[in-house]
C-alpha cells in the first residue's frame, strides 16, 4: 500500500516536472539559461539545466533569457528604424548642400549682374561729357556730365596724346585692333578667347559661322579662302561680319580688291541694308539711335580702320588688311594674282553676355568654360564647324545658336523678307503705323512734311523730309531716293530707293535658280492666308535640254481677292511706254501718273495700294498686313540675248518682272518655291559653291493655272464664297459671262465657238471644259453598246 503511494507521488512529481518543461519550451527560446547555477541547494532537484529553455523553478534560481520570434521582430524593426534615420539624415545633408550651392550660385549671378550694371553705367558715364575749347598746346579738354565722382570736373588730355580722335592711329594707344588681346579675331582665323586662351578655327572657304550667339546678340562671320594643290583644308580669313540685335543688322565687309592701296577705303558698312558713308572730317563718325540703343561708327585711322559701338552690347575695333606678297610666299598660300584677299582683323569687347552664351568665340566667355584646344602646340585648333555653321551671313540659325528676338532678314531668290508679327486685322484710325500720317504743305525748299496721327511716342509730331530726299514719291527713282516716313515708335525719316533690288536679302540666305518651264505656273508662296503664283514665259534654243524662263506675271491671292500684275508682250521696247498691266478681281485698273500716282482700295480687313515708283514700268504693291512687292518690268536686250545665246524670236523682247518681296505674316509651315525657305528649320538642298545652284520641285509647286491655289503641297485656304449662278455665255465680243459677288468673281468664257469654256472662280480654281459625244467608232472599239437615242 505504501509502495503504491510512493509510486503515485513519484508519478505526480514527474508530471509536474514535465509540465514545467513544456511551459519553458513554449515561453523561452534558445538562450543559455542560468538555471541551477545560482542559489542551487540540490543539484539533483534543481532547475532544468538544458540550454536555458524556460524557467527552471526547482530549488535553483535560474532565469532563461533567449532570442525567440518576438525578439527577432523587435531587432528587425530596430534595424529598419536605424536605416530610416540614417537615410533621413543623409537626405537632409544633401538638401542642405544643394541649398548652399543654389544660394552661392544666386549670389554669384547677382554679383555678376550688379557688376555688369556698374560696368554699363560706367561705360555710359565715361562717354557723357561736353567738349570745351582746346588749350593753346592743342590738348583737348572736356567737362564730365555723367552722374559719378567725375560730375562737372574738367579733364585735359595729356601731352603724349592730346586728341581724342587722332586721324593717324597706328602709333596711338587704345584705338587699334590688338590681335593678342582678349576677344581678338585675326589672321588665318586666330582667336584669343574670353578665357585668355589662343586657338585657331579654320571653318571653310565660303562658309558662314556664328562667332557669338546670345539671347540679344548674334555676330556671324563670312569666311573667304583658298586651298593650294595637295592641302587637305582651306586657308581661311574673315571677310565680313554681321552684327544682329533686336530687329537690326549691321554688316561690315572687306571689299574684294585686285591690288591694295593704302590711300583707298576697302570696306563697306551697311545698316539695315542702307549703305553708310563715313565722313572724313574731324568727327569722322556716323551714329544712329535705334530704339533703346545707339549705334556709333567712327574712323580710328585715315583709312580702313573703324570702331563700331552698339551701346550696351558690343564694341569692335576693326581693321581691313590684305595678304602681302611676302606673307603669301612665306606661308605658301598660293593666292591668285587678281585678289589681295582683303580681310578683317577685329577685337571685340562685350558688354552684356549671359552665362549661356554660345558661338566659336562666345562660349569662351562662359563662367565655367574649359577650353578643349590642345595646350603646348604651335597651332591649337578648335573644332565645332558643324555646331556653329549658319545657312548665310544673315541667318541666326545654327545647331547651338541662342538668338530668339530678331526678325529673319536673309538672302534668297533675289527677294527681301522681314518676318515680323504684324496683325492682319485692319488698324484703327489712330493705331500706331508707319504710314499713319496727314500730309502738310511742303516747305519753301520743296521738302515735304507730315503730321503723325499714330498713337504713342510720335503722335501729333511733325516730320520733315531731309534735303537729300525731299519727296516721298519722286518720279525719277533711278536717280533720286525717296523720303520714307515712319510714324511708329521709331518716329524717323530716312532716304531709301523705291525700286526692286535684285541683290536684296531674304529667305535662308542661299541663292538658287528655279527653271520651271515655258508657259508653266508655279506657287512661289503658299500659306494659310496668302498664295502668290507666277506665270513663266521662255524659249528653248535648238540643242538645249531645258527652257530659258522668266516670270511674266504674278497672281496674289488672299482672303477672297485676286491681284494680278503682268508684263505685256511687246515686239520692241520703249522706255516711255507702260508695259505693265494691273488687274483687281479680274478688272483692269489704271494707276495714275500724276498727283500721288497711286491706286488704292479699302477692304473690310485690308487696304490694297498700287503706287508708281518711277514714271513708267515700276510699281510698289502693298497688301496691308500680308506682303509688299517692288516690281519692275524690263526686256531682254539684244546684247543680253547675244551673250547668253537665248536665240529670242524677232517679234518678242520677252518683257518680264523683276520683283523684291517683303512679307509680314508668314507662318512656320509656309510652302512654295520661295516660301518654304522662310521656315524656321529649313535647310537648303541646293549645292553650295557652284555658279548656278539649282532648286527642283516643279512637280510639287506646279499649279493648273496662274489663278489656281492647287498644287501638291499648297496650303492656301482663302474664305468660303457663295454658290454658282446660272448663265448664258455670249458668242460674240469678249464671249464671256461674269458676275462680281460680294467676295468673289466668277467668269465663264468661251475658248471655242461652241462647246468649250473656261470657268474661273477667283481665287479657288479654274477649269477648262469641253463637251464631246461618244462616237460610233469609239462605241464599237470599246464595245460600250450605247443605246441608239443617246
Amino acid at each position: 500500500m505504501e509502495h503504491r503511494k510512493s509510486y503515485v507521488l513519484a508519478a505526480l512529481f514527474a508530471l509536474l516536472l514535465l509540465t514545467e518543461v513544456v511551459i519553458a519550451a513554449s515561453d523561452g527560446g534558445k538562450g543559455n539559461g542560468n538555471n541551477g547555477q545560482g542559489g542551487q541547494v540540490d543539484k539533483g532537484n534543481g532547475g532544468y539545466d538544458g540550454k536555458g529553455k524556460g524557467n527552471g523553478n526547482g530549488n535553483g534560481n535560474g532565469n532563461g533569457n533567449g532570442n525567440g520570434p518576438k525578439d527577432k521582430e523587435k531587432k528587425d524593426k530596430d534595424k529598419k528604424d536605424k536605416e530610416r534615420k540614417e537615410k533621413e539624415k543623409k537626405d537632409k545633408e544633401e538638401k542642405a548642400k544643394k541649398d548652399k550651392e543654389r544660394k552661392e550660385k544666386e549670389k554669384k549671378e547677382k554679383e555678376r549682374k550688379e557688376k555688369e550694371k556698374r560696368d554699363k553705367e560706367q561705360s555710359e558715364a565715361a562717354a557723357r561729357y561736353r567738349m570745351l575749347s582746346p588749350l593753346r598746346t592743342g590738348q583737348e579738354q572736356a567737362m564730365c556730365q555723367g552722374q559719378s565722382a567725375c560730375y562737372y570736373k574738367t579733364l585735359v588730355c595729356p601731352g603724349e596724346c592730346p586728341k581724342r580722335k587722332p586721324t593717324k592711329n597706328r602709333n596711338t594707344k587704345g584705338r587699334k585692333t590688338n590681335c593678342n588681346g582678349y576677344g581678338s579675331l585675326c589672321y588665318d582665323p586666330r582667336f584669343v578667347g574670353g578665357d585668355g586662351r589662343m586657338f585657331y578655327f579654320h571653318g571653310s572657304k565660303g562658309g558662314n559661322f556664328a562667332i557669338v550667339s546670345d539671347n540679344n546678340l548674334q555676330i556671324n562671320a563670312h569666311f573667304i579662302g583658298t586651298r593650294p594643290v595637295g592641302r587637305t583644308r582651306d586657308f581661311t580669313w574673315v571677310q565680313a561680319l554681321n552684327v544682329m540685335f533686336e530687329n537690326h543688322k549691321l554688316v561690315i565687309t572687306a571689299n574684294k580688291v585686285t591690288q591694295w592701296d593704302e590711300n583707298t577705303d576697302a570696306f563697306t558698312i551697311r545698316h539695315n541694308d542702307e549703305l553708310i558713308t563715313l565722313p572724313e572730317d574731324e568727327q569722322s563718325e556716323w551714329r544712329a539711335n535705334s530704339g533703346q540703343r545707339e549705334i556709333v561708327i567712327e574712323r580710328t585711322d585715315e583709312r580702313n580702320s573703324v570702331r563700331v559701338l552698339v551701346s550696351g552690347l558690343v564694341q569692335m575695333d576693326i581693321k581691313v588688311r590684305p595678304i602681302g606678297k611676302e606673307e603669301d610666299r612665306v606661308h605658301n598660300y598660293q593666292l591668285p594674282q587678281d585678289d589681295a584677299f582683303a580681310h578683317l582683323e577685329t577685337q571685340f569687347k562685350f558688354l552684356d553676355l549671359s552665362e549661356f552664351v554660345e558661338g566659336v568665340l562666345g562660349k569662351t566667355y562662359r563662367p565655367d568654360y574649359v577650353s578643349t584646344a590642345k595646350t603646348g602646340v604651335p597651332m591649337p585648333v578648335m573644332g565645332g564647324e558643324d555646331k556653329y555653321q549658319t545657312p548665310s551671313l544673315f541667318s541666326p540659325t545654327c545647331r547651338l545658336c541662342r538668338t530668339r528676338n530678331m526678325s529673319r532678314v536673309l538672302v534668297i531668290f533675289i527677294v527681301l523678307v522681314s518676318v515680323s508679327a504684324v496683325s492682319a486685322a485692319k488698324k484703327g484710325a489712330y493705331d500706331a503705323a508707319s504710314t499713319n500720317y496727314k500730309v502738310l504743305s511742303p516747305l519753301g525748299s520743296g521738302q515735304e512734311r507730315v503730321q503723325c496721327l499714330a498713337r504713342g511716342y510720335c503722335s501729333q509730331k511733325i516730320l520733315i523730309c531731309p534735303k537729300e530726299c525731299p519727296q516721298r514719291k519722286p518720279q525719277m527713282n533711278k536717280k533720286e531716293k525717296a523720303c520714307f516716313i515712319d510714324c511708329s515708335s521709331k518716329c524717323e525719316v530716312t532716304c531709301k530707293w523705291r525700286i526692286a533690288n535684285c541683290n536684296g536679302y531674304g529667305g535662308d540666305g542661299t541663292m538658287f535658280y528655279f527653271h520651271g518651264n515655258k508657259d508653266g505656273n508655279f506657287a512661289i508662296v503658299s500659306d494659310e492666308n496668302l498664295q502668290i503664283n507666277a506665270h513663266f514665259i521662255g524659249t528653248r534654243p535648238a540643242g538645249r535640254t531645258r527652257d530659258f524662263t522668266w516670270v511674266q506675271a504674278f497672281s496674289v491671292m488672299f482672303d477672297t481677292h485676286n491681284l494680278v500684275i503682268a508684263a505685256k508682250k511687246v515686239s520692241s521696247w520703249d522706255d516711255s511706254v507702260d508695259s505693265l498691266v494691273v488687274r483687281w478681281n479680274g478688272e483692269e485698273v489704271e494707276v495714275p501718273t500724276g498727283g500721288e500716282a497711286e491706286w488704292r482700295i479699302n477692304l473690310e480687313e485690308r487696304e490694297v495700294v498700287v503706287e508708281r515708283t518711277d514714271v513708267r514700268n515700276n510699281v510698289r504693291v502693298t497688301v496691308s498686313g500680308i506682303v509688299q512687292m517692288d516690281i519692275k518690268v524690263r526686256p531682254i536686250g539684244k546684247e543680253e540675248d547675244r551673250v547668253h545665246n537665248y536665240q529670242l524670236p524677232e517679234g518678242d523682247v520677252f518683257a518680264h518682272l523683276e520683283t523684291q518681296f517683303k512679307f509680314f505674316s508668314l507662318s512656320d509651315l509656309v510652302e512654295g518655291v520661295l516660301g518654304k525657305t522662310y521656315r524656321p528649320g529649313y535647310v537648303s538642298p541646293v549645292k553650295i559653291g557652284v555658279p548656278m545652284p539649282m532648286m527642283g520641285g516643279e512637280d510639287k509647286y506646279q499649279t493648273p493655272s496662274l489663278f489656281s491655289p492647287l498644287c501638291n503641297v499648297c496650303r492656301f485656304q482663302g474664305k468660303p464664297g457663295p454658290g454658282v449662278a446660272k448663265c448664258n455665255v455670249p458668242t460674240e465680243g469678249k464671249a464671256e459671262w461674269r458676275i462680281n459677288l460680294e467676295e468673289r468673281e466668277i467668269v465663264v468664257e468661251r475658248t471655242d465657238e461652241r462647246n468649250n469654256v473656261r470657268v474661273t472662280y477667283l481665287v479657288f480654281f479654274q477649269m477648262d471644259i469641253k463637251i464631246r459625244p461618244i462616237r460610233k467608232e469609239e462605241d464599237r472599239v470599246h464595245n460600250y453598246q450605247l443605246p441608239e437615242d443617246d
Side-chain angles (χ1 to χ4, degrees):
M1 191 68 179
E2 291 179 1
H3 287 290
R4 185 176 297 175
K5 287 180 180 178
S6 63
Y7 289 145
V8 171
L9 289 171
L12 288 172
F13 182 77
L15 181 60
L16 182 61
L17 187 63
L18 183 61
T19 302
E20 291 288 343
V21 170
V22 172
I23 292 171
S26 63
D27 292 337
K30 292 184 180 181
N32 294 321
N34 193 22
N35 302 317
Q37 297 296 324
Q40 210 171 358
V41 177
D42 187 352
K43 289 183 180 179
N45 297 322
Y48 185 72
D49 194 35
K51 289 189 178 180
K53 293 182 179 180
N55 296 316
N57 292 322
N59 295 324
N61 202 15
N63 186 18
N65 297 320
N67 292 326
K70 290 183 179 180
D71 293 324
K72 186 177 181 182
E73 289 176 5
K74 185 180 179 183
K75 281 198 171 186
D76 289 343
K77 185 179 178 183
D78 291 342
K79 184 179 180 182
K80 288 180 180 178
D81 287 343
K82 185 179 179 182
E83 289 175 351
R84 179 176 57 77
K85 288 179 181 178
E86 288 178 353
K87 186 175 183 298
E88 288 177 353
K89 183 180 178 182
K90 188 177 180 181
D91 290 344
K92 191 175 181 181
E93 290 174 352
E94 188 70 24
K95 185 181 178 183
K97 184 181 177 181
K98 286 183 178 178
D99 287 342
K100 186 179 178 182
E101 289 176 352
R102 179 178 56 79
K103 288 179 181 178
E104 287 178 355
K105 188 175 180 181
E106 288 175 353
K107 184 180 177 182
K108 287 181 179 179
E109 179 65 14
K110 186 178 179 181
E111 290 174 351
R112 185 184 68 82
K113 287 183 178 179
E114 288 176 351
K115 183 178 180 299
E116 286 178 354
K117 186 179 179 181
R118 286 196 304 270
D119 291 345
K120 186 177 179 181
E121 289 174 351
Q122 289 174 4
S123 176
E124 291 175 352
R128 293 187 62 188
Y129 53 80
R130 180 165 59 90
M131 290 301 301
L132 304 177
S133 56
L135 300 179
R136 292 181 180 180
T137 58
Q139 294 167 259
E140 293 185 355
Q141 56 178 350
M143 179 182 289
C144 296
Q145 294 182 328
Q147 296 295 329
S148 65
C150 201
Y151 186 61
Y152 259 78
K153 288 186 178 180
T154 300
L155 301 182
V156 182
C157 294
E160 294 79 14
C161 52
K163 292 185 179 181
R164 295 174 303 118
K165 299 178 180 181
T167 54
K168 295 185 178 180
N169 282 277
R170 292 182 182 179
N171 299 317
T172 306
K173 291 184 178 180
R175 283 170 58 86
K176 59 182 180 180
T177 304
N178 178 9
C179 287
N180 295 314
Y182 287 91
S184 60
L185 165 53
C186 302
Y187 314 132
D188 176 14
R190 193 196 77 170
F191 292 79
V192 178
D195 61 345
R197 295 277 297 275
M198 181 271 288
F199 64 90
Y200 287 80
F201 177 83
H202 294 310
S204 60
K205 173 185 175 182
N208 301 281
F209 299 91
I211 303 303
V212 176
S213 183
D214 206 3
N215 295 332
N216 57 358
L217 173 69
Q218 177 142 337
I219 302 176
N220 289 355
H222 177 72
F223 285 35
I224 55 173
T226 182
R227 182 181 295 189
V229 178
R231 280 188 61 86
T232 57
R233 72 160 184 88
D234 300 325
F235 286 116
T236 52
W237 298 271
V238 171
Q239 182 257 344
L241 294 170
N242 181 18
V243 184
M244 294 174 275
F245 60 97
E246 294 169 356
N247 62 341
H248 302 279
K249 70 177 188 293
L250 183 66
V251 181
I252 304 98
T253 307
N255 300 336
K256 181 178 178 179
V257 292
T258 55
Q259 190 172 0
W260 183 255
D261 184 357
E262 292 281 355
N263 299 316
T264 304
D265 269 334
F267 65 84
T268 302
I269 303 177
R270 294 181 184 273
H271 176 238
N272 293 341
D273 301 327
E274 290 293 318
L275 183 65
I276 294 172
T277 302
L278 287 180
E280 299 179 14
D281 57 12
E282 187 176 347
Q283 290 297 320
S284 298
E285 71 178 22
W286 174 92
R287 61 176 62 222
N289 286 296
S290 59
Q292 298 179 349
R293 307 196 185 278
E294 184 180 40
I295 305 169
V296 182
I297 305 170
E298 55 179 320
R299 291 186 183 272
T300 54
D301 208 344
E302 289 180 343
R303 292 286 183 271
N304 296 314
S305 289
V306 294
R307 170 170 286 179
V308 177
L309 172 66
V310 180
S311 63
L313 285 180
V314 66
Q315 176 184 292
M316 305 185 297
D317 286 311
I318 302 173
K319 179 183 179 181
V320 184
R321 64 174 295 267
I323 303 296
K325 291 184 179 180
E326 182 63 17
E327 187 178 354
D328 181 21
R329 184 190 65 79
V330 170
H331 293 282
N332 193 28
Y333 291 143
Q334 301 179 27
L335 299 184
Q337 294 290 346
D338 60 347
D339 195 347
F341 275 75
H343 60 281
L344 306 180
E345 290 185 346
T346 310
Q347 186 175 17
F348 299 90
K349 181 182 179 182
F350 300 105
L351 307 175
D352 188 27
L353 294 181
S354 75
E355 62 178 337
F356 300 109
V357 61
E358 272 292 355
V360 179
L361 175 63
K363 65 183 176 182
T364 67
Y365 284 85
R366 287 188 168 195
D368 57 349
Y369 175 74
V370 178
S371 178
T372 57
K374 289 183 179 179
T375 56
V377 296
M379 287 185 66
V381 177
M382 179 78 75
E385 283 85 347
D386 58 329
K387 297 176 183 177
Y388 300 115
Q389 187 159 18
T390 64
S392 79
L393 180 65
F394 307 94
S395 171
T397 305
C398 72
R399 282 179 56 191
L400 296 182
C401 286
R402 304 190 67 245
T403 306
R404 295 289 181 268
N405 62 341
M406 64 181 62
S407 60
R408 288 167 287 182
V409 193
L410 313 163
V411 175
I412 171 132
F413 197 50
I414 61 169
V415 296
L416 167 69
V417 65
S418 173
V419 181
S420 55
V422 177
S423 172
K426 189 175 180 180
K427 293 182 178 293
Y430 293 94
D431 282 349
S434 60
T435 57
N436 196 353
Y437 54 74
K438 180 175 68 174
V439 180
L440 305 177
S441 57
L443 299 179
S445 60
Q447 294 167 256
E448 294 186 359
R449 57 187 190 135
V450 303
Q451 182 177 13
C452 293
L453 303 177
R455 291 198 197 115
Y457 170 72
C458 208
S459 179
Q460 302 303 314
K461 289 191 176 181
I462 295 176
L463 300 182
I464 302 173
C465 294
K467 292 181 180 179
E468 293 78 13
C469 52
Q471 295 180 326
R472 293 174 301 119
K473 299 179 180 181
Q475 291 296 304
M476 301 295 291
N477 280 279
K478 293 180 181 178
K479 298 180 180 179
E480 299 176 11
K481 287 186 177 182
C483 172
F484 277 71
I485 299 171
D486 190 343
C487 282
S488 66
S489 59
K490 290 184 178 180
C491 200
E492 63 181 10
V493 290
T494 52
C495 296
K496 296 181 181 179
W497 296 110
R498 279 162 47 89
I499 55 177
N501 177 12
C502 288
N503 294 314
Y505 303 121
D508 66 335
T510 305
M511 182 272 290
F512 65 87
Y513 288 80
F514 177 83
H515 292 310
N517 54 58
K518 175 185 175 183
D519 297 324
N521 300 282
F522 298 90
I524 303 303
V525 176
S526 183
D527 208 1
E528 293 175 357
N529 64 346
L530 171 69
Q531 177 140 337
I532 301 177
N533 288 355
H535 177 72
F536 285 36
I537 56 174
T539 181
R540 183 181 295 189
R544 281 189 61 85
T545 57
R546 70 161 184 87
D547 300 326
F548 287 116
T549 53
W550 299 271
V551 171
Q552 181 263 339
F554 284 113
S555 173
V556 183
M557 294 170 270
F558 60 96
D559 298 337
T560 59
H561 304 285
N562 176 259
L563 180 66
V564 176
I565 304 96
K568 294 179 183 177
K569 181 177 180 180
V570 291
S571 56
S572 61
W573 185 257
D574 185 350
D575 277 324
S576 63
V577 177
D578 239 348
S579 298
L580 183 72
V581 176
V582 181
R583 289 192 177 93
W584 169 249
N585 288 341
E587 292 291 331
E588 187 169 336
V589 298
E590 188 71 28
V591 183
T593 55
E596 291 290 305
E598 66 180 27
W599 173 90
R600 65 173 62 219
I601 183 170
N602 284 293
L603 308 173
E604 184 180 353
E605 294 182 339
R606 306 195 189 282
E607 184 179 45
V608 181
V609 182
V610 182
E611 55 179 318
R612 292 191 182 273
T613 53
D614 208 342
V615 179
R616 298 286 184 274
N617 297 313
N618 285 265
V619 293
R620 169 169 285 180
V621 177
T622 304
V623 180
S624 62
I626 294 184
V627 67
Q628 177 182 292
M629 304 159 61
D630 286 313
I631 301 174
K632 178 183 178 180
V633 184
R634 64 174 294 267
I636 303 296
K638 291 183 178 180
E639 181 63 16
E640 187 177 355
D641 180 20
R642 183 191 66 78
V643 170
H644 293 281
N645 193 29
Y646 290 144
Q647 300 180 29
L648 299 186
E650 287 296 325
D652 194 349
V653 295
F654 278 74
H656 61 280
L657 306 180
E658 289 183 347
T659 309
Q660 188 174 15
F661 297 89
K662 183 177 181 180
F663 300 104
F664 297 108
S665 58
L666 294 180
S667 74
D668 289 346
L669 301 177
V670 62
E671 272 291 355
V673 178
L674 171 64
K676 65 183 176 183
T677 66
Y678 294 106
R679 288 188 168 195
Y682 176 76
V683 178
S684 178
V686 302
K687 291 182 180 179
I688 306 298
V690 296
M692 290 185 66
M694 301 296 300
M695 177 76 77
E698 284 84 347
D699 57 330
K700 295 179 182 178
Y701 301 113
Q702 189 157 16
T703 63
S705 77
L706 180 64
F707 307 100
S708 172
L710 304 177
C711 70
N712 286 338
V713 293
C714 286
R715 304 188 65 248
F716 181 66
Q717 299 296 322
K719 292 184 178 179
V724 180
K726 184 178 180 180
C727 63
N728 293 315
V729 184
T731 57
E732 298 177 352
K734 287 188 176 181
E736 68 178 27
W737 174 92
R738 65 175 61 222
I739 182 171
N740 284 294
L741 305 173
E742 184 180 353
E743 295 182 331
R744 302 224 177 261
E745 182 180 46
I746 301 171
V747 182
V748 183
E749 55 181 318
R750 292 188 182 273
T751 54
D752 204 346
E753 290 182 355
R754 295 287 184 276
N755 298 317
N756 285 265
V757 293
R758 169 172 285 178
V759 179
T760 304
Y761 184 29
L762 298 176
V763 288
F764 275 125
F765 61 80
Q766 182 182 78
M767 301 184 296
D768 288 312
I769 302 172
K770 178 181 180 180
I771 302 174
R772 61 176 294 271
I774 303 296
R775 302 188 183 279
K776 290 184 178 181
E777 181 63 18
E778 187 178 353
D779 181 20
R780 184 188 65 78
V781 170
H782 293 284
N783 194 27
Y784 291 146
Q785 300 180 22
L786 300 183
E788 291 292 328
D789 60 347
D790 193 353

